[in-house]
Amino acid sequence: MAREIGYPLSVSRALANIGRVYLQQSQPEKALVVLQQAITIQRATGNCSNEADTLSLIGQAQTQLGNTDAQTNLQQSIALAHEIGNTAIEAQALRNLGLLFVKQNQPDLAIVLYKQSVKLTEDIRKGIRTLPIDQQQSYTETVADTYRQLADLLLKRDRVLEAQQVLDLLKVQELKDYLRTVRGTLQPLAVLKPEAEILKKYDQLQAAAVQLGEELAKLRAIPPDQLTPAQRQRLTQLDSLETDLNRQFRDFLSKDKQVQSWLAELRTIAPGETIADASFTNIRGKLQPLKAALLYPLVLDDRLELVITTPIPRPCGGWSRLSEKTSTGRLPPFGPLCSTVRMISKPTLRNSTSG
């Protein structure tokens, strides 16, 4: 109906929402068809916010399909969202770009992007603390998967201290149905030095993309038949510069020697040495007189992770493999799970048990 009565904004939103549903149903081919229709309308009407959102969804669909254009569209989404100040879309696109690198077997690079996504999400959560609790919880539920996926990646790299921080931020407690109040350490999410260097260089490229995008948007908003010869020439130049900048983004994340050096440095950091132990002294001190421990259960598709913080110097973690039947039903007994606990200083002890 919106199409018939000439409401292009409503049409593009409806198409994007249909595409979102197709993605949730794991039908990326169908999603891509309607999302391409949506973005054509959005670009014609100059709707930057919806365009940034749709670009992220297109990149998500292309990631599922293994399409090499996914990275370009996600980077364009990030730059456009950053330009217009839409933090929610920027965080979503960063998360989708991180997911792309997970699929490309680049977990350390994915962690960098996931962390930036969580940082932006935390900024949003701080800004909505004046809203009713149910509305805050509703937003948290929409972004919870990003936190869980980041914690999953960190635990697989035996970076348990950082995973604990992520779980603390989200306050993920699989026992929340029984424990109505959950206390956390409230430690800010740590960004390691190599990660900070990667993000700094990424921000420099992003700033160039934003500047280029602003000029392109102004020229593209002018009807083609009203462009002056000089404007047409400049538009052609900017299109070429945009293509080159997209190539720089791809090379930066996958081929840049300095970035690869920083990623290699991340891989050499020993488990347990990623965060200064002093940051956990306060919480350990509070646990000591109580003779207590903090448990952080994390239910994932293939296993149950349990991060345990005690008065001893470092947290430890254990995991139990979950079968498909178990993961959709009750959890395995707590006793066998405890037998899999390993200290992060000894990652070779990361053994599994059948669920």
Side-chain angles (χ1 to χ4, degrees):
M1 181 178 291
R3 190 191 300 269
E4 292 173 357
I5 60 179
Y7 290 141
L9 180 59
S10 298
V11 172
S12 70
R13 283 177 177 171
L15 289 168
N17 286 333
I18 292 171
R20 201 185 306 272
V21 171
Y22 278 138
L23 285 173
Q24 292 170 351
Q25 296 175 344
S26 299
Q27 299 185 64
E29 299 92 346
K30 291 182 178 180
L32 206 52
V33 172
V34 294
L35 291 171
Q36 293 289 4
Q37 294 175 20
I39 204 164
T40 298
I41 297 172
Q42 290 158 2
R43 285 174 171 167
T45 56
N47 193 303
C48 294
S49 182
N50 284 355
E51 181 183 347
D53 187 29
T54 303
L55 278 169
S56 180
L57 294 172
I58 289 174
Q60 187 178 346
Q62 291 171 329
T63 296
Q64 292 183 22
L65 292 169
N67 190 312
T68 56
D69 290 333
Q71 185 174 331
T72 296
N73 284 310
L74 289 170
Q75 285 162 181
Q76 288 179 352
S77 174
I78 293 167
L80 185 54
H82 186 80
E83 175 188 340
I84 62 178
N86 194 316
T87 306
I89 294 176
E90 185 178 359
Q92 171 192 290
L94 281 163
R95 175 253 188 187
N96 287 340
L97 188 56
L99 182 59
L100 172 64
F101 286 114
V102 169
K103 290 184 176 295
Q104 293 179 353
N105 197 29
Q106 298 187 62
D108 295 300
L109 187 51
I111 286 171
V112 175
L113 297 168
Y114 267 100
K115 280 189 174 183
Q116 185 66 3
S117 177
V118 167
K119 178 180 179 297
L120 294 177
T121 302
E122 283 299 298
D123 290 341
I124 295 173
R125 293 178 70 190
K126 289 175 184 176
I128 64 173
R129 284 178 180 169
T130 56
L131 296 177
I133 295 298
D134 60 335
Q135 293 184 29
Q136 295 183 47
Q137 183 61 29
S138 177
Y139 175 73
T140 300
E141 289 171 358
T142 66
V143 298
D145 280 348
T146 301
Y147 290 73
R148 291 189 177 96
Q149 289 161 5
L150 174 55
D152 183 17
L153 287 169
L154 289 167
L155 288 168
K156 285 178 178 177
R157 307 300 280 179
D158 283 300
R159 293 162 64 173
V160 181
L161 286 168
E162 293 167 86
Q164 176 186 330
Q165 288 188 318
V166 175
L167 297 178
D168 228 15
L169 289 172
L170 183 59
K171 296 190 180 358
V172 172
Q173 293 291 341
E174 301 300 339
L175 301 177
K176 64 184 178 182
D177 290 339
Y178 304 97
L179 305 177
R180 298 301 180 185
T181 58
V182 180
R183 296 180 181 179
T185 62
L186 301 179
Q187 295 290 337
L189 183 62
V191 176
L192 309 186
K193 185 176 179 180
E195 294 173 334
E197 294 294 341
I198 292 172
L199 288 172
K200 181 180 178 181
K201 192 168 183 179
Y202 183 83
D203 287 344
Q204 292 171 352
L205 274 177
Q206 188 180 68
V210 168
Q211 185 177 1
L212 178 64
E214 288 175 346
E215 189 175 358
L216 267 173
K218 290 177 181 177
L219 289 174
R220 286 172 176 169
I222 302 173
D225 58 347
Q226 296 180 22
L227 288 169
T228 67
Q231 288 173 328
R232 288 194 184 92
Q233 182 179 9
R234 181 57 178 163
L235 188 57
T236 301
Q237 291 174 344
L238 291 175
D239 284 335
S240 178
L241 287 172
E242 184 179 43
T243 300
D244 184 62
L245 189 59
N246 288 333
R247 179 193 56 77
Q248 289 182 52
F249 266 115
R250 287 194 300 272
D251 290 349
F252 162 76
L253 292 171
S254 59
K255 298 180 182 178
D256 186 284
K257 291 182 179 180
Q258 195 170 28
V259 171
Q260 295 305 310
S261 174
W262 286 323
L263 290 173
E265 185 177 345
L266 284 172
R267 289 190 286 270
T268 62
I269 296 175
E273 296 179 359
T274 55
I275 305 175
D277 283 341
S279 64
F280 290 90
T281 299
N282 182 47
I283 188 62
R284 291 201 307 269
K286 291 180 179 179
L287 291 172
Q288 181 69 53
L290 298 173
K291 297 181 178 180
L294 288 178
L295 306 182
Y296 295 81
L298 179 63
V299 178
L300 301 165
D301 290 340
D302 61 342
R303 68 192 192 283
L304 169 67
E305 287 273 1
L306 182 64
V307 179
I308 307 173
T309 301
T310 70
I312 62 176
R314 290 174 179 167
C316 58
W319 67 289
S320 180
R321 182 70 62 185
L322 300 179
S323 66
E324 183 177 353
K325 180 178 179 181
T326 301
S327 62
T328 57
R330 66 181 181 85
L331 296 179
F334 190 74
L337 172 64
C338 290
S339 69
T340 69
V341 170
R342 85 281 188 252
M343 297 298 296
I344 59 173
S345 58
K346 297 180 181 179
T348 55
L349 298 181
R350 190 183 177 86
N351 298 322
S352 63
T353 60
S354 299

